[in-house]
Amino acid sequence: MCGIVGYIGNKEAIDVVLNGLRALEYRGYDSSGVAYIESNGSGRVVKQAGRVEHLLPGLDQEKSKIHIAIGHTRWATHGLPNTLNAHPHTNSDGSIMVVHNGIIENYLEIKRELAKNGYKLITQTDTEVIPHLIDYYLKRLGSFEEAITAALNDLKGAYAVAVLATAEPEKIYAAKLSSPLVIGVGRHNEYILASDPNAIMEHTKKVVFLEDYDLAVISKDKLSIKDLRKNTLKSAKAELLDYDRDKSSKGDFPNFMLKEIFEAPQAIKSATLGRVQADKGIVKLGGLETVTTQLKLIDRIVIVACGTSYYAGLVGEYLIEELAGIPVEVQLASEFKYRSEPFSRSSVLLAISQSGETADTIAALKKVKDYGCLRLGIVNAAGSTITRLTDAGVYCHAGPEQAVASTKAFISQVTVLTLLALYLSDGTKGYRNLLKELDLLPDKVQAVLDQAEKIKTIALKYKDSKDFMYIGRGYVYPCALEGALKLKETSYIHAEGYAAGEMKHGPLALIDEDFPTLAIATDSPLLEKTYSNIEEIRARSGRVVALATEGNKKIGKLVNDVIYLPKTLEITQPILSVVAMQLFAYYIAESKELNIDKPRNLAKSVTVE
Ligand code: AGP
């Protein structure tokens, strides 16, 4: 996902922008750039493939005199990740400089129209059409604001843009449609613009979240916002974000991924804090209080999510159907948007997202906007786009998750889904034992984390594998899928997750001594069947690492290696097993000296479809 930072105020704008871009590096990127207006009034752009640090040599001179600048980290969607395609992009004389996050779906059409009017575009990007389009209108309309308004109205797709122009050297223009953009309101005539609050928090916690079709005009002492659809000014709604910068630093950990794995116990506590009264068997979800009446009338829940959040949704399906007796269907958000399916008003769309900015999940929510159904969210990032598109929801409160590979967020999502299932149940079955187990879970997760060195020893025995199978049944079947995703996205080893019962329907053909399996064989009514699947694999010389429950006397004879997990309910197994698999994947990736927090080709939040 691309990152945008802009600054106007009394500080050295280039340093503020560079530090802001560094705060966004966790999102993943392949090039970066900065634009500013030099003291002689001309525009200047410094951009480079690679890391933000590569910009420094080009930015040394006159930094102290620059008090307005914009910057960008690019995760390539259109065009190679090289210097030419890096942002900012400009019009032909460099007087208009633009950074952009999102996708301009009609950029080829605009490119053709510009070419007919003599414009020569030189990059492979969609973004480059924006400065030229503004230039086109500036030559035909009276003011810069009218020109940028006309240009934005021509764009189709998703954008968050920041624009500098030599015609307006004391202003930053910023606009948003689908892709996030937030403005930090500084104390002394300064504003910091960014794609997410991470880049703003060291300056201010007072922020204005731009909404779709907003055009903000930012000068040192004034912020004005126009609704492009109505062409009218609107008030800037400032809010205070609760943000703890310490939480987002690595602390004593070598990287964010390991830190966030070890934050799992706290993630469970934060997800249940103030929401559970175990002794009374009560669950309170304040974020749903405004929709309790509608919730009583629902007859189906459709969960939409992507990646790890989708796998958490699959666990949620088992939870809600068993505890609340409501039919649940889990769909990949990227598929849901394009399906034609019946969707009644008594259905609920439940979006699960760590970042709250995933374009596919946002698109799914927008698809049902006029269906009259309830839209709920389970989100970690406060104030994110998905929280603004839903009627109600439950925050995960897991704290910032910076590593691209999602870990504590999954734990938090499954915990919240457990609470949601209980909240939706009629409470007659007395779930005190489950609520008491939720209280015990942080310590049980800690017991798994305390085995980190043992898990590492086992993981390193398999670090040279080229392929890996993950299998599980029932509640831990989705965990097999998630475990496989963790391995593939951190260590680049091909890994497949399967329902254990599916092995003989095809995947068993893959198994030989070079294709190991991780089998989740924790205590459950289905354990005997999982044993059979393990034996099928062992009979084909397949090596097996099992996750099993402490006290299991049989598993050791069936498999090559065992990671024992504390006893817990079948329904809370997913949380313990996934923590073990996160560590398993982590240590293999670490042994290969890969970029743990920023795996190749991936971004922390995928804000493009
Ligand atoms: C998981 O480790 C990945 N980072 C990815 O699959 C992620 O879960 C997915 O992109 C969804 O992101 P979200 O939860 O922020 O919507």
Side-chain angles (χ1 to χ4, degrees):
M1 176 173 73
C2 301
I4 290 175
V5 180
Y7 177 80
I8 184 166
N10 300 318
K11 294 173 184 153
E12 291 190 9
I14 291 174
D15 282 344
V16 172
V17 167
L18 288 173
N19 288 332
L21 294 180
R22 291 184 187 106
L24 300 182
E25 283 188 305
Y26 75 88
R27 298 149 68 102
Y29 69 104
D30 40 53
S31 62
S32 62
V34 171
Y36 60 92
I37 295 173
E38 294 180 296
S39 38
N40 64 9
S42 56
R44 182 146 190 272
V45 167
V46 176
K47 61 184 187 176
Q48 187 71 42
R51 319 300 301 162
V52 169
E53 301 321 307
H54 296 156
L55 298 172
L56 297 182
L59 288 169
D60 268 346
Q61 65 274 23
E62 74 168 353
K63 265 200 308 186
S64 58
K65 299 178 202 144
I66 306 301
H67 300 292
I68 177 170
I70 57 176
H72 187 267
T73 50
R74 178 177 182 248
W75 184 66
T77 53
H78 293 78
L80 294 171
N82 58 21
T83 301
L84 177 69
N85 291 327
H87 298 208
H89 289 288
T90 72
N91 60 336
S92 47
D93 66 4
S95 60
I96 300 171
M97 298 155 276
V98 175
V99 292
H100 165 234
N101 181 17
I103 283 190
I104 308 299
E105 292 173 354
N106 60 332
Y107 84 98
L108 288 173
E109 176 194 326
I110 295 173
K111 209 165 180 173
R112 279 193 294 274
E113 286 307 308
L114 287 169
K116 284 178 195 165
N117 287 279
Y119 285 86
K120 289 184 179 36
L121 278 63
I122 57 173
T123 78
Q124 303 161 309
T125 68
D126 54 341
T127 304
E128 192 192 1
V129 302
I130 301 175
H132 292 283
L133 194 56
I134 296 171
D135 182 281
Y136 170 82
Y137 282 114
L138 191 57
K139 290 185 170 65
R140 290 161 176 78
L141 299 173
S143 74
F144 190 82
E145 186 169 325
E146 285 172 303
I148 192 171
T149 298
L152 292 170
N153 287 336
D154 283 357
L155 303 183
K156 291 189 177 64
Y159 61 73
V161 292
V163 181
L164 281 186
T166 56
E168 295 281 359
E170 293 303 320
K171 289 177 181 172
I172 295 177
Y173 292 81
K176 176 217 192 280
L177 177 58
S178 288
S179 295
L181 207 49
V182 56
I183 300 174
V185 184
R187 278 187 291 278
H188 312 296
N189 289 352
E190 67 175 7
Y191 291 95
I192 305 95
L193 172 73
S195 308
D196 89 30
N198 263 324
I200 293 174
M201 285 303 120
E202 68 175 284
H203 303 281
T204 177
K205 293 188 178 181
K206 185 178 176 185
V207 297
V208 174
F209 284 91
L210 290 187
E211 296 175 341
D212 283 355
Y213 299 101
D214 280 0
L215 169 63
V217 183
I218 312 167
S219 52
K220 260 188 186 176
D221 51 8
K222 188 179 172 208
L223 166 63
S224 67
I225 298 177
K226 180 167 81 170
D227 181 326
L228 290 175
R229 284 167 300 183
K230 301 172 192 154
N231 205 24
T232 54
L233 286 176
K234 57 189 280 190
S235 61
K237 287 176 283 190
E239 53 192 276
L240 280 180
L241 273 188
D242 67 325
Y243 184 88
D244 178 341
R245 193 155 180 77
D246 293 343
K247 280 187 185 173
S248 70
S249 66
K250 289 178 197 162
D252 299 332
F253 290 90
N255 48 56
F256 282 114
M257 183 177 175
L258 193 60
K259 170 177 179 276
E260 287 152 8
I261 291 172
F262 275 78
E263 286 177 341
Q266 186 53 50
I268 298 169
K269 291 175 187 167
S270 303
T272 54
L273 186 66
R275 294 169 168 172
V276 173
Q277 293 173 29
D279 53 334
K280 298 192 182 105
I282 294 173
V283 171
K284 281 169 56 59
L285 295 176
L288 300 182
E289 272 166 13
T290 57
V291 295
T292 44
T293 309
Q294 287 163 279
L295 284 175
K296 289 187 171 57
L297 305 172
I298 63 172
D299 59 14
R300 180 171 83 126
I301 296 175
V302 176
I303 295 176
V304 291
C306 304
T308 287
S309 298
Y310 170 76
Y311 299 138
L314 289 176
V315 179
E317 177 178 353
Y318 286 84
L319 287 163
I320 296 168
E321 290 190 341
E322 176 169 342
L323 299 177
I326 299 171
V328 178
E329 185 186 340
V330 188
Q331 293 191 34
L332 288 169
S334 54
E335 286 297 310
F336 177 82
K337 176 179 177 182
Y338 300 102
R339 281 183 63 167
S340 305
E341 64 177 295
F343 206 96
S344 71
R345 293 169 65 94
S346 53
S347 297
V348 168
L349 190 75
L350 171 59
I352 303 176
S353 174
Q354 188 288 128
S355 65
E357 299 299 349
T358 300
D360 290 323
T361 311
I362 289 170
L365 282 165
K366 288 185 173 178
K367 171 183 174 181
V368 302
K369 183 171 181 298
D370 302 325
Y371 287 17
C373 66
L374 200 52
R375 299 188 295 175
L376 301 180
I378 293 177
V379 178
N380 190 37
S384 54
T385 301
I386 287 176
T387 63
R388 298 164 179 282
L389 287 173
T390 45
D391 303 298
V394 186
Y395 273 127
C396 289
H397 297 312
E401 185 177 74
Q402 313 254 30
V404 166
S406 190
T407 52
K408 64 175 180 176
F410 177 91
I411 304 299
S412 188
Q413 289 164 348
V414 171
T415 304
V416 168
L417 283 160
T418 307
L419 298 181
L420 177 63
L422 291 169
Y423 183 83
L424 294 172
S425 73
D426 60 11
T428 53
K429 294 184 185 160
Y431 291 116
R432 283 177 180 68
N433 59 325
L434 172 53
L435 291 173
K436 287 196 180 91
E437 186 65 13
L438 282 179
D439 269 346
L440 300 173
L441 261 187
D443 289 344
K444 294 189 176 183
V445 166
Q446 189 55 54
V448 178
L449 296 170
D450 293 344
Q451 289 191 69
E453 281 308 309
K454 180 177 187 309
I455 294 170
K456 178 177 181 177
T457 304
I458 293 173
L460 294 183
K461 291 167 69 174
Y462 297 87
K463 69 181 178 64
D464 298 323
S465 306
K466 296 288 178 285
D467 303 284
F468 233 104
M469 185 68 72
Y470 282 69
I471 62 171
R473 283 177 179 263
Y475 275 91
V476 293
Y477 156 51
C479 303
L481 306 180
E482 167 57 14
L485 175 62
K486 276 300 126 338
L487 185 67
K488 69 182 109 183
E489 70 173 335
T490 54
S491 68
Y492 313 157
I493 292 173
H494 162 243
E496 299 199 32
Y498 261 96
E502 270 296 287
M503 287 305 289
K504 54 190 170 305
H505 298 291
L508 201 57
L510 292 171
I511 299 299
D512 60 23
E513 62 279 6
D514 298 325
F515 201 127
T517 298
L518 188 147
I520 309 174
T522 46
D523 286 359
S524 98
L526 302 171
L527 182 55
E528 287 301 324
K529 299 208 178 296
T530 304
Y531 285 152
S532 306
N533 302 131
I534 290 172
E535 285 165 336
E536 287 162 9
I537 292 167
R538 300 286 291 127
R540 276 82 182 173
S541 310
R543 292 184 295 159
V544 177
V545 187
L547 303 186
T549 303
E550 286 165 353
N552 181 324
K553 298 280 183 276
K554 181 173 180 181
I555 193 73
K557 304 180 192 74
L558 294 181
V559 300
N560 301 82
D561 295 282
V562 187
I563 297 168
Y564 288 99
L565 306 178
K567 286 187 183 305
T568 187
L569 303 175
E570 182 194 11
I571 212 167
T572 44
Q573 273 302 355
I575 288 176
L576 298 188
S577 57
V578 164
V579 172
M581 290 187 285
Q582 289 169 359
L583 289 170
F584 187 83
Y586 171 82
Y587 287 118
I588 289 180
E590 184 196 49
S591 72
K592 299 167 81 145
E593 296 180 359
L594 297 173
N595 187 336
I596 300 273
D597 285 342
K598 303 187 192 77
R600 67 184 181 192
N601 308 339
L602 300 181
K604 178 57 184 171
S605 171
V606 184
T607 58
V608 292
E609 284 195 47

